[in-house]
Every structure is written in structure tokens, then in C-alpha cells.
Amino acid sequence: MMTKRSPDRKKKDGVTEVEVAKPQGSEPFNPLREVMWRRPGFLIRRLTQIGQAIFFDLCKSESITPLQVGMLTALSMNPWLDQKAIGRELSLDRTTTAEVLKRLGDKGLVETRVNPDDRRSRLSVITKDGLNLINDLQESIHRSQELLIEPLSPDDRVVFMKLLAQLVDAHEKMEKQD
Amino acid sequence: MMTKRSPDRKKKDGVTEVEVAKPQGSEPFNPLREVMWRRPGFLIRRLTQIGQAIFFDLCKSESITPLQVGMLTALSMNPWLDQKAIGRELSLDRTTTAEVLKRLGDKGLVETRVNPDDRRSRLSVITKDGLNLINDLQESIHRSQELLIEPLSPDDRVVFMKLLAQLVDAHEKMEKQD
């Protein structure tokens, strides 16, 4: 339902096109950049890469990945989760969940056992070492998240996080309806 | 430099915390979600996953990935690029660039030859088949990008794209300074 029109948008071939503000400064003309930077998918993937680089820079001493941190965080708040629940909590597919759990197990950060109530499922628990690690990393995790959106003004950070959460939430609700 | 303060932010342990608007509706209390959804890195990674799922859904008949589409787009606009230039244009590391180029080569969508002016480097060109494919995909690519931000209001889409581009641009400029 698009009833409003603003000068920032134009209709082209019956499709609403979002015009992206060009970066400031006198950069050389780059037609590829013009095309790619109008694609939200491209920019979001780039920002994911940037976020991972910042994370690795801050947490490199621990040789741990953002996905592993997400899983340890989930297990630090929920003892004895099964693989399905972990995947659901972090929106990871089965293969990825199993792989990350295996790596955390190899490092002694997580233990996995057969579920006594359902022998077809396996439950994982964070170890004391895992808990120590995730506690030690808290400040670096927090700082890496801050650095990612720090180039925006404080007010714009709030707006960006709000719109980002709104998008992910809306898509997750649509997935559930499918 | 944070001189302004808004009620949306609070200072905690000397660290500015961005409060994320909670999703609407009466969802069960989920402490893990409360933690993870304040992390921009987590939400951006989630949105990248969602974008890939939308892309695969629309382009599945062609069995092609967003990275391959990015590379074909780059080569459709720049004939005879070397691997370094392709990686730079799409912000990909050397290994990923080489892998994606190899897959596109195997599919007959790209050809790679030794550079006659510098025998240590290799240049790639899109084939006619590659050009046909990328032209056929234009509508699906465009639609997948639209769908990704469609849950936002038209005005919010413009704001989101502006802030997203601003963030990626600022981080890229910082990387260059390092």
C-alpha cells in the first residue's frame, strides 16, 4: 500500500525504486558502485563482513567466532538445550548448529549428552570453562557491537537499530506463517 | 562525542547502551532474545541470512548465489578485470574471489586468461551466456532486494538505506586509513 510519494522515490517500470543517498565527498564516478549500493542485500552482507572483522579484531586472542559466541550466550542462559532449540533460538539450520556445537565441544566449552527423557535427542550444556570464557568476553563483545554502529550519530543509531529489529521481526513472522 | 542524550538511551557502567524497540505483540518473555536483539551484529547477520533465503527463493531455477550475481554484475560492467580488482570492487578476500571465479568459470559464465601486459596476473571476462543469465535475472534480483526491505514503510526504507550506506561507507574509509 503505497499512497504517499516523496521526492526521494521515483516510479520506474511500475516498480518503486529507493534512491540511496550518495556518500559525501568527491569520489571518482564508479557505475558498479552506483548499482551495488542500491541493493540492500549487498550492503547488509558488507556490514556483516565488517562486523565480523571488528569482532575478530577485538576477540582474536580467544580464536572464537560470532556464531560460537551466540551459541555460548544461548547456553549460558538456558542449561540443557537440544540441538533443535539452539538452532531455533539463533535461527541456524541443523547442519550449522551441529558443526558449531561440535567445535565448541572439541574446545571443552560445551558438553553434549543423550537426553534421558528422549533417547533420540541430545542435550548440550555449557561447561565452567565455557562460562568463564563468555564472561571474560563480555566487554569485547559489547565493544564490537558498539563500534559497528559508532559511525552514526547517537540518534541515528537508535533509528537504525529500531528499523533493523523491525525488519528481522517482520521477516521472522512471515517465515512462521509459511 | 556524545553531547546529546535522548530518553531512548541510558548510560550504564560508563557505556552508552542503545535500547532497541521491542517487537509489537504479546510474545512470551525470552531473556536470550532480549540480549541478542540488542546486538547490531546479530541482527545484521540475521538479515543477511533472510536476504539470502529470499534471493534463493526467487532465483532458485538458476542455482546461483548472491556472491556470484555480484561478480557477474561487476564483470558485466567492466570487461577484463583482474582478480584483485574484482575483490576490491566487491570487498571480497582473495580466496573467496578465486573460488567464486572458478565456479563461474566451471559454469561457462566467465572466462579467465593470462594478462598479456603482466603475465603474473589473470583477467576475467563475462561470456555471452553469463551476460544472458545476468540480464534474465535482473527482475528477480530487483524484486529480492525490494522484498528484503518491504516490511518497512516507504519513508523508513529510504532512512534505512541511507543509514546502511552511511555505515558501510564510514567503515570502508576507516579500513583504508589503517
Side-chain angles (χ1 to χ4, degrees):
Chain A
M1 293 285 284
M2 296 194 206
T3 45
K4 284 192 298 179
R5 295 280 294 277
S6 90
D8 284 336
R9 277 168 284 127
K10 62 177 177 193
K11 205 93 173 166
K12 197 177 139 190
D13 304 332
V15 169
T16 302
E17 192 129 319
V18 176
E19 287 284 343
V20 178
K22 279 173 211 154
Q24 307 284 314
S26 57
E27 280 168 45
F29 175 64
N30 182 341
L32 177 63
R33 187 178 163 116
E34 298 284 317
V35 168
M36 297 306 283
W37 281 59
R38 283 194 200 185
R39 297 188 180 168
F42 174 75
L43 289 178
I44 289 161
R45 199 171 66 220
R46 268 301 285 140
L47 199 56
T48 300
Q49 288 178 324
I50 291 165
Q52 285 174 338
I54 292 173
F55 176 91
F56 284 122
D57 205 42
L58 282 173
C59 303
K60 61 188 157 197
S61 59
E62 307 296 348
S63 67
I64 196 156
T65 68
L67 274 188
Q68 290 172 4
V69 160
M71 207 166 278
L72 287 179
T73 305
L75 289 166
S76 73
M77 298 173 74
N78 302 274
W80 300 116
L81 281 180
D82 72 14
Q83 213 162 292
K84 216 165 150 183
I86 297 171
R88 192 178 52 232
E89 292 293 344
L90 299 168
S91 305
L92 299 174
D93 62 43
R94 217 172 121 176
T95 318
T96 311
T97 309
E99 275 174 13
V100 180
L101 269 181
K102 167 137 197 349
R103 277 195 212 121
L104 291 172
D106 291 345
K107 290 182 185 177
L109 302 174
V110 160
E111 267 176 47
T112 300
R113 296 190 199 154
V114 171
N115 182 354
D117 300 329
D118 173 5
R119 303 202 53 88
R120 286 163 307 174
S121 85
R122 288 152 64 84
L123 301 174
S124 298
V125 69
I126 192 167
T127 63
K128 191 66 182 59
D129 281 353
L131 210 49
N132 289 343
L133 177 67
I134 203 76
N135 286 334
D136 290 348
L137 281 176
Q138 278 313 305
E139 206 173 314
S140 298
I141 295 168
H142 189 75
R143 186 69 194 124
S144 73
Q145 301 298 315
E146 277 192 323
L147 281 172
L148 188 55
I149 53 172
E150 205 162 73
L152 299 179
S153 74
D155 286 342
D156 281 347
R157 283 173 219 162
V158 176
V159 172
F160 182 71
M161 285 299 289
K162 185 180 143 278
L163 296 178
L164 189 56
Q166 197 181 325
L167 269 179
V168 174
D169 189 54
H171 281 293
E172 288 192 346
K173 291 211 169 90
M174 280 189 267
E175 274 172 25
K176 276 179 201 155
Q177 281 168 5
D178 283 349
Chain B
M1 293 283 285
M2 296 191 207
T3 46
K4 284 193 296 180
R5 294 282 293 275
S6 90
D8 283 335
R9 276 167 284 126
K10 61 178 177 192
K11 204 94 174 167
K12 197 177 138 190
D13 305 331
V15 170
T16 302
E17 193 128 321
V18 175
E19 288 285 343
V20 179
K22 279 173 210 153
Q24 306 283 314
S26 57
E27 281 170 44
F29 176 63
N30 181 340
L32 177 64
R33 187 177 161 116
E34 297 283 318
V35 168
M36 297 306 283
W37 281 58
R38 284 194 199 184
R39 297 188 180 167
F42 173 76
L43 289 178
I44 290 161
R45 199 172 65 221
R46 268 300 285 139
L47 199 56
T48 300
Q49 287 178 323
I50 291 165
Q52 285 172 339
I54 292 173
F55 177 90
F56 285 121
D57 205 41
L58 282 172
C59 303
K60 61 187 158 198
S61 59
E62 306 296 347
S63 67
I64 196 157
T65 69
L67 274 188
Q68 290 172 4
V69 161
M71 207 165 279
L72 286 179
T73 305
L75 288 167
S76 73
M77 297 173 73
N78 302 275
W80 299 116
L81 281 179
D82 73 14
Q83 213 162 293
K84 217 166 150 182
I86 297 171
R88 192 178 52 233
E89 292 292 346
L90 299 168
S91 304
L92 299 174
D93 62 43
R94 219 173 120 176
T95 317
T96 310
T97 310
E99 275 173 14
V100 180
L101 269 181
K102 171 143 194 343
R103 275 194 213 121
L104 291 173
D106 291 345
K107 291 181 185 178
L109 303 173
V110 159
E111 267 177 45
T112 300
R113 296 188 198 156
V114 171
N115 182 354
D117 300 329
D118 172 5
R119 303 202 52 88
R120 287 163 307 176
S121 84
R122 288 152 63 85
L123 301 176
S124 297
V125 69
I126 193 167
T127 62
K128 191 66 182 58
D129 281 352
L131 210 50
N132 289 344
L133 177 68
I134 203 75
N135 286 335
D136 290 348
L137 280 176
Q138 278 313 305
E139 206 173 315
S140 299
I141 295 168
H142 188 75
R143 186 70 193 123
S144 73
Q145 301 298 314
E146 275 191 325
L147 281 173
L148 188 55
I149 54 171
E150 203 162 74
L152 299 180
S153 74
D155 287 342
D156 281 348
R157 282 173 219 162
V158 176
V159 173
F160 182 71
M161 285 299 287
K162 184 181 144 276
L163 296 178
L164 188 57
Q166 197 180 325
L167 268 180
V168 174
D169 189 55
H171 281 292
E172 288 191 346
K173 290 212 169 89
M174 280 190 267
E175 274 172 24
K176 276 180 201 155
Q177 280 169 4
D178 283 349

